[in-house]
Amino acid sequence: TDFSKPIFSVIFTLSSHNPYAVPARYKGKFPIGTAKIHESIGYADFALMQYFASAKKQVWYKNTLFVLTADHTSSEGTGYYSNDVGRYAIPIVFFDPSNPKLKGIDSTIFQHSDIMPYVFKYIGFSSKFLNYGNDVNLKEGRFVINFSNGVYHFIYDDYYLLFNGVEVLGAFRWKDDRLLKHNIYGTKNDTIQKAETLLKACIQSFNSRVINNKLTP
């Protein structure tokens, strides 16, 4: 397929989402596994293989940065993957066929809104832009924020906060307390206070910009 340059394209799939539908011609071709999602994951993996087999034949393949990610983990997750932190512990993969140095695993806190600044830096884009993610070069004080079912979920370094827009509902050391059983909000902790302030600042800034139509740099 011919595209005008530069190319930016997004593909959103629902193969591994409830009801986990697999095309009829592929039924029985992938392991059923122990959960409803497993067969559809097999199909999704197969589909990705077919996609990249085709992409390799395109003239733009070696000049493309591919980004693969999910929105959340399976609703059938258990233990850590069933709570509000583990439910969003998903992989984000960057793949550039022309760059053999872009490899390895990095467990740095990263969120969907960090994708844009990362990509911009990678391709050498230097103009101003507005983004509520982390600075690419930031090593400490990184954060993750999302809003679900009326509650803000905020991770700041080793701490996880829940905020309903009025008050903090809880704070947890999510790396040590994987099942979020020990609410430590209310204890004297400078990092928790810093996290709460940053969360409220993000909310205030975003809401103000939306109300005043200023979602620009």
Side-chain angles (χ1 to χ4, degrees):
T1 303
D2 292 327
F3 296 98
S4 59
K5 298 178 181 180
I7 304 167
F8 175 76
S9 181
V10 176
I11 301 173
F12 184 78
T13 70
L14 289 173
S15 299
S16 55
H17 197 286
N18 189 49
Y20 311 118
V22 174
R25 67 181 182 276
Y26 292 113
K27 277 290 185 181
K29 293 185 179 296
F30 307 104
I32 299 298
T34 58
K36 292 180 181 178
I37 193 175
H38 288 165
E39 183 182 17
S40 65
I41 287 293
Y43 168 68
D45 284 347
F46 170 77
L48 271 176
M49 289 173 60
Q50 299 306 304
Y51 168 76
F52 277 104
S54 176
K56 285 180 180 179
K57 301 175 183 178
Q58 309 303 317
V59 295
W60 43 260
Y61 177 70
K62 290 187 177 181
N63 191 37
T64 298
L65 174 65
F66 296 88
V67 183
L68 292 85
T69 188
D71 53 352
H72 56 77
T73 60
S74 170
S75 59
E76 299 177 12
T78 58
Y80 170 68
Y81 291 102
S82 66
N83 67 39
D84 288 325
V85 174
R87 189 175 293 117
Y88 297 99
I90 49 89
I92 298 179
V93 178
F94 296 93
F95 170 57
D96 178 355
S98 68
N99 184 2
K101 294 182 179 180
L102 187 62
K103 62 180 180 180
I105 298 174
D106 190 337
S107 58
T108 300
I109 291 176
F110 203 91
Q111 60 188 326
H112 287 129
S113 55
D114 295 337
I115 293 175
M116 186 171 77
Y118 179 88
V119 171
F120 280 179
K121 180 181 180 182
Y122 190 82
I123 65 176
F125 180 84
S126 58
S127 298
K128 290 183 178 181
F129 62 94
L130 178 69
N131 181 264
Y132 281 91
N134 294 283
D135 182 279
V136 174
N137 299 313
L138 186 66
K139 298 301 180 182
E140 296 182 355
R142 297 182 66 89
F143 67 90
V144 167
I145 184 172
N146 71 59
F147 183 73
S148 177
N149 298 320
V151 176
Y152 294 93
H153 303 268
F154 191 72
I155 288 178
Y156 180 80
D157 285 341
D158 294 344
Y159 294 89
Y160 164 62
L161 273 67
L162 296 98
F163 179 63
N164 65 4
V166 178
E167 60 181 345
V168 175
L169 305 177
F172 305 84
R173 291 185 63 91
W174 66 276
K175 290 184 179 180
D176 299 326
D177 181 16
R178 302 278 282 183
L179 299 182
L180 309 179
K181 291 185 176 181
H182 307 290
N183 183 356
I184 59 174
Y185 186 71
T187 60
K188 193 172 182 180
N189 187 300
D190 291 340
T191 304
I192 291 177
Q193 183 59 55
K194 187 182 296 184
E196 182 178 344
T197 300
L198 178 58
L199 169 59
K200 290 177 178 178
C202 288
I203 296 170
Q204 182 181 33
S205 172
F206 179 79
N207 288 345
S208 176
R209 285 183 176 275
V210 169
I211 292 170
N212 294 292
N213 194 27
K214 291 185 177 180
L215 283 173
T216 54

